[in-house]
Amino acid sequence: MKRIIGLGAITALGLTLLAIFPNKETVADVILAGTAGVSWVFVFVYMTRSHWSATAAGRAIIRLVVCIAAICTQGLATILTDYSYPGRSIIRPMLLLLVGVAILDLLWTLIRIQRRETASPDEES
């Protein structure tokens, strides 16, 4: 219940900021920074406190969240450097490609796990 209340409060805060601040770009930049930050925190916590490498699903999740954190960080670098940091023209599409590949990996992992679960009926039933 606390999680739902917390997520609702963060969503309400974001929507309130969008409603009251005239510069929507600044609000979007703050949201992007928050997303990058929470993504890197997730990566750190998941990699240090979980056995993420033990399963295909854990590895797929960490790849996806690392890619999300990286693309958000790249977005912040773009904003902070006024779209002119060295290598942007190649870094941005490479990160976008990696996000797509990470999502595809997660999808394939999900399908493989679901097929395995369907193929071997639950013995406790």
Side-chain angles (χ1 to χ4, degrees):
M1 185 62 145
K2 289 179 185 179
R3 180 179 60 87
I4 293 170
I5 292 170
L7 294 172
I10 294 295
T11 302
L13 175 63
L15 293 173
T16 301
L17 291 174
L18 282 169
I20 63 174
F21 282 100
N23 187 341
K24 306 302 183 217
E25 288 298 316
T26 301
V27 175
D29 296 347
V30 169
I31 292 170
L32 181 63
T35 302
V38 76
S39 296
W40 286 119
V41 168
F42 177 90
V43 168
F44 176 77
V45 170
Y46 194 49
M47 289 185 85
T48 59
R49 298 181 64 185
S50 299
H51 298 289
W52 62 271
S53 61
T55 65
R59 292 186 299 272
I61 289 169
I62 200 67
R63 277 191 291 271
L64 178 59
V65 180
V66 164
C67 287
I68 291 169
I71 200 72
C72 290
T73 303
Q74 181 273 331
L76 285 174
T78 298
I79 292 162
L80 294 173
T81 62
D82 199 26
Y83 297 81
S84 62
Y85 66 86
R88 180 180 183 273
S89 63
I90 192 68
I91 292 170
R92 182 174 177 266
M94 283 176 41
L95 287 174
L96 290 169
L97 173 64
L98 291 176
V99 169
V101 169
I103 293 169
L104 187 58
D105 176 49
L106 188 61
L107 176 61
W108 283 342
T109 301
L110 172 66
I111 291 169
R112 190 176 74 243
I113 289 169
Q114 288 176 335
R115 282 185 183 156
R116 194 176 326 138
E117 289 174 354
T118 303
S120 58
D122 198 17
E123 294 181 11
E124 294 180 23
S125 306

